[in-house]
Amino acid sequence: MAVAVARPGAGRRRAGRAALTVWVLAPSWLGVAPVGVEAAEPRSVAIVFAVDESFRQDALWRAQLNHLIDRASRYYGARFDLRFELAVVVSWSPRGGSLEELLDDLRAQVRVEPGRIRVGLTAERPPRSPEYGLASYHDAALVIAKAARDEWLTGGFLHELAHIFGALDVKSAGGLMSPDQKGIEFDPLNARLVALHRDRTFAPHLFPLQPAAFDRALGLYGEAAPLAPQAASLAVTQIAIEKGDYALALAAGSEALAADPRSANALNLRGIALRRLGRVAEAIAAYREALALRPRYAQVHYNLGIAHEKHRNPKEALASYRRAVELQPDHARALSNLARLYAQQGEPSRAIECAERALDVAPDFAEARVNLALGYLKAENLERARREAGQALAANPNLAGAHEVMGVAWLASGRSDEALASLRAAAALEPAEPRFHQQLAHAWEAAGDHERARLALEDALKLDAQYLPALVDLADLHLRLGRRVQAIEAFLRVVALKPDDGPSHNNLAVLYFRLDDLARARTHVNRARELGMRPHADFLAALEAAERRRKLEETTWHEQQAQAGSESQTD
């Protein structure tokens, strides 16, 4: 949820340029009883300020940062027992443009540790924009273009912080979240929203609210709809997606788009809901429309990558994830998905690098640790793969992917019993994922139970009739067991889905040869050779000998038929 607020006219005070330093502040606390929040432990949130050259032209810019932290701590501390501390100051060089583009610049240039808010400050007002500030709820980032007077900078900072904690701009006069921003207090509804979000998470791989708070949040944002129609619709859309209520998400998202058809944020959320409903082509179209409006929106590139994966287009998915990381180098989820794709494509060193970068950003990101384990598995470092998978399972025992990596590592070590236990756990946790049934089939075959291996592969294909790895494994299993007719049927399904699968054409050639169907054997062996396969020389020799023999037999038969016809005419 990204929301913007109008600011009064901007002006600038110029002075000699101040040197940039890294500066840590211990804020001044106020011992005031909190208002509007239930009794809770005091909370302190660290802020990373990014200041550009224009902002540093004011000789008092350091004092202004000091004042912002102190004022925000006093204000939110008195009302919500929520305080702030300055973690570090860094420089950034925004390229200008809209506030959305400034946010994209901030994400690209300023990395923050988990649990921190990043704040970009500039004295340059965005061209053609009546607004002076913008906040991104999900990843706790905000930008402010410095206003004419210091009190407006302070008010803008307090206002944008409220958006980080779920507040909305409302159509009411005289409050902190009103368009005129002439008041200092929260309206009652926004006070409840901030109280609800007071203990939100800032982990980059997690949604800010816990699931237990979803229904209450939906109720509050529903109340806010008459006062903030577009922003409330966006908030409802996002929470409905997290809750899994995709019908509500599409309905609310449509309202948000009706209010602002050029909202890249609304289009992105619509794409997520469509993709989770299985309407992947429509989701891709929504993402592309969002990127046409905002090309440097890293989150949309990431979501587009997921959609491409669902469309079985790993090449496009890889490109989308790479672009997301280019635009936001600390995008933990994009890094983690890159790690998984690199591992699946046989590039374990790249997989390990991306997974470690994701864990550097989000040390508790268990899915990234699973992909790190997968990278080590592909690098044939089985012990390290099991260790990383074990750490992921210690954090979350319900990670099916971690059980899968553990099982495959055990299988590669020749320990089929342990492999069966792990892979059965993976399939039980995510029974609708065909890959886990396919891997379980490998374990059953290693244990010598070919019938259960076949059943597991057929389970995978019931879930997805076009799941090529399971289809290839089923064809290979029939081939090894001497079930020629079943093997031919399976391999034909493979080449129907993947016409350029050389090994399958080669196997079909051998199978048809054994069934004495030389014409089909020749068709498939020729296709295999066109695709770069080199069929075994003995097989080629046997096929050519059989073809010569068949030709000789046919010639002899025709000669005999001709002779018989001639004798009949003579008689």
Side-chain angles (χ1 to χ4, degrees), residues 195-227:
L196 180 64
H197 286 82
R198 174 202 182 266
D199 294 315
R200 62 156 287 174
T201 179
F202 292 98
H205 59 293
L206 298 175
F207 188 70
L209 280 179
Q210 293 294 320
F214 288 170
D215 286 338
R216 187 178 173 196
L218 286 172
L220 290 174
Y221 286 122
E223 289 182 45
L227 299 172

Side-chain angles (χ1 to χ4, degrees), residues 10 58 100 195 200 241 245 249 274 332 353 360 381-382 391 409 411 413 426 447 491:
D58 191 325
E100 288 84 359
R200 62 156 287 174
I241 287 171
D245 189 343
L274 288 168
E353 177 190 356
D360 190 37
N381 187 338
L382 303 181
Q391 286 188 40
L411 193 60
S413 302
F491 279 124

